[in-house]
Amino acid sequence: MNISILKKAKNIIQERGRDSVEKYTYEMSKITSNSKYIAADSAVRSNTLAISKALSKSEDTRTLEAENAKLITKLAEVKLSLGVPANCYSCVACEDKGTLANGTNCACLTKVYYELSRQISGIAELPQFTFENNSISNIECVQKESLGMLYNSMQNYSEKFPNTSVKNILLTGQVGVGKSCLLSATANDLILRGFSVQYLTAFSLNNLFLKYHTSDAKIRHQYLDSLLTCDLLIIDDLGTEPILKNITLEYLHCVLDERVRKHTMISTNLSINEILIRYRERIASRLTNKYTKIIQLNGTDLRIKK
Ligand SMILES: [Zn+2]
């Protein structure tokens, strides 16, 4: 897990906890003179006191404790009926600490970490597909079978990541055949596994190249750093960006070159031949080398079907 994202996630959980205590305290202040609440609360207090007395005399407290459990439930019901939550925690499992008693991360922290990672990765821009719940398989289309096989193959890639036999995936096919859904499912799965993912369209990538090119040398590293260091870089819709002279081809080659030992996924509507013509030999060979799996996805436009 990324330390700085984890820290942010913990801060969010703790902030949530403070809000929860504040809300609880405020709601409690409104019911302290309510007769139903007073009666239920007094019953718990008297019973608790009786248990203490019995314990001090070494008497059997089993009946009193059974009664106590019922009274506590009753008190929670009364509070709930008066609009007050049963306790002051947003997450009872970790009491808003983010970690459980055994030191492991609570599910609430993992969920926030995952959402933050999705936002930072840029993948939140895409519909949220997952391998487990890929709604795309329910759509009747000619590529249903090949899409299903591709989901399995990408799930396999994700499970073995980063020790995969191929490093890069080049996904080609017409608009709307399901390429972005596959990218989304793979990215979501890898983020859940704690890997850093950066998703961006070729158009946005081109804009970053332009910013980098025109910025002061002292600050421009910020535009490309995360693209060069992330575990998986996803470039969607390669070929839809304008070719900027001295920028697009030069920086794209630079990024691919820097990431030669890392994983990259690219989707494009272009054929291999069109890639060669548009991006020239140097880049085309990077995109189609022996470390790359080229996947051709054909079929009908799913966006129309939906
Ligand atoms: Zn929790």
Side-chain angles (χ1 to χ4, degrees):
M1 280 178 146
N2 178 296
I3 302 293
S4 78
I5 302 177
L6 190 62
K7 204 171 161 188
K8 276 184 195 161
K10 277 188 179 164
N11 285 342
I12 289 174
I13 294 294
Q14 283 160 8
E15 180 68 26
R16 203 181 268 179
R18 284 192 285 274
D19 286 349
S20 188
V21 168
E22 205 173 293
K23 185 170 182 283
Y24 178 83
T25 310
Y26 172 69
E27 294 296 339
M28 278 301 290
S29 72
K30 292 197 293 188
I31 67 160
T32 44
S33 51
N34 180 285
S35 58
K36 272 189 189 171
Y37 168 72
I38 292 170
D41 187 53
S42 302
V44 172
R45 285 171 194 271
S46 315
N47 194 268
T48 308
L49 193 64
I51 292 173
S52 300
K53 279 183 183 167
L55 282 173
S56 68
K57 292 178 196 165
S58 302
E59 290 172 1
D60 187 351
T61 58
R62 279 176 293 182
T63 311
L64 283 170
E65 275 167 11
E67 179 64 13
N68 211 40
K70 283 183 198 163
L71 291 171
I72 287 171
T73 306
K74 172 79 182 157
L75 176 62
E77 284 168 4
V78 169
K79 280 162 70 179
L80 215 57
S81 72
L82 297 169
V84 181
N87 59 65
C88 64
Y89 303 115
S90 173
C91 173
V92 181
C94 69
E95 298 182 346
D96 298 325
K97 292 185 189 83
T99 45
L100 301 172
N102 63 8
T104 58
N105 290 336
C106 183
C108 70
L109 180 69
T110 307
K111 190 163 182 265
V112 172
Y113 177 90
Y114 172 63
E115 281 310 323
L116 279 178
S117 301
R118 268 176 55 76
Q119 285 163 21
I120 291 167
S121 75
I123 200 72
E125 282 180 35
L126 285 181
Q128 191 176 3
F129 285 97
T130 61
F131 291 127
E132 290 71 29
N133 178 27
N134 80 78
S135 54
I136 205 127
S137 62
N138 300 325
I139 301 172
E140 282 307 323
C141 55
V142 292
Q143 69 270 40
K144 186 174 178 166
E145 199 177 326
S146 51
L147 254 182
M149 279 161 61
L150 275 180
Y151 264 85
N152 290 342
S153 153
M154 290 313 300
Q155 190 166 12
N156 197 264
Y157 174 83
S158 189
E159 279 166 5
K160 289 184 178 153
F161 195 93
N163 305 312
T164 54
S165 52
V166 289
K167 284 224 176 298
N168 311 315
I169 307 277
L170 178 65
L171 201 50
T172 71
Q174 291 309 303
V175 176
V177 289
K179 300 192 299 293
S180 297
C181 310
L182 263 177
L183 297 181
S184 170
T186 311
N188 281 317
D189 199 56
L190 285 172
I191 289 170
L192 262 181
R193 292 171 194 275
F195 293 103
S196 59
V197 176
Q198 278 293 313
Y199 164 90
L200 69 178
T201 61
F203 193 86
S204 311
L205 180 65
N206 211 25
N207 284 340
L208 275 188
F209 290 160
L210 183 60
K211 271 188 189 167
Y212 182 92
H213 190 73
T214 54
S215 297
D216 188 280
K218 284 181 192 157
I219 60 153
R220 64 186 189 179
H221 63 90
Q222 63 178 307
Y223 296 117
L224 300 187
D225 268 5
S226 63
L227 305 183
L228 301 179
T229 57
C230 63
D231 298 319
L232 174 70
L233 172 66
I234 299 178
I235 306 171
D236 201 4
D237 272 341
L238 188 76
T240 54
E241 78 288 5
I243 299 283
L244 305 175
K245 198 178 171 197
N246 297 331
I247 294 177
T248 307
L249 301 192
E250 287 70 13
Y251 287 108
L252 180 60
H253 181 262
C254 202
V255 166
L256 295 174
D257 212 38
E258 282 284 323
R259 291 189 58 82
V260 74
R261 293 182 207 289
K262 292 181 176 289
H263 293 67
T264 305
M265 276 181 85
I266 295 173
S267 86
T268 182
N269 303 339
L270 303 176
S271 66
I272 303 300
N273 198 38
E274 286 167 332
I275 289 175
L276 182 62
I277 294 166
R278 186 177 163 89
Y279 295 97
R280 319 273 168 79
E281 169 66 29
R282 216 161 54 126
I283 293 176
S285 67
R286 279 265 180 266
L287 295 178
T288 56
N289 63 19
K290 62 178 178 180
Y291 304 109
T292 304
K293 183 175 182 178
I294 300 170
I295 299 171
Q296 169 80 43
L297 185 59
N298 299 313
T300 47
D301 193 336
L302 301 172
R303 293 175 301 184
I304 296 167
K305 287 214 161 240
K306 276 185 202 171

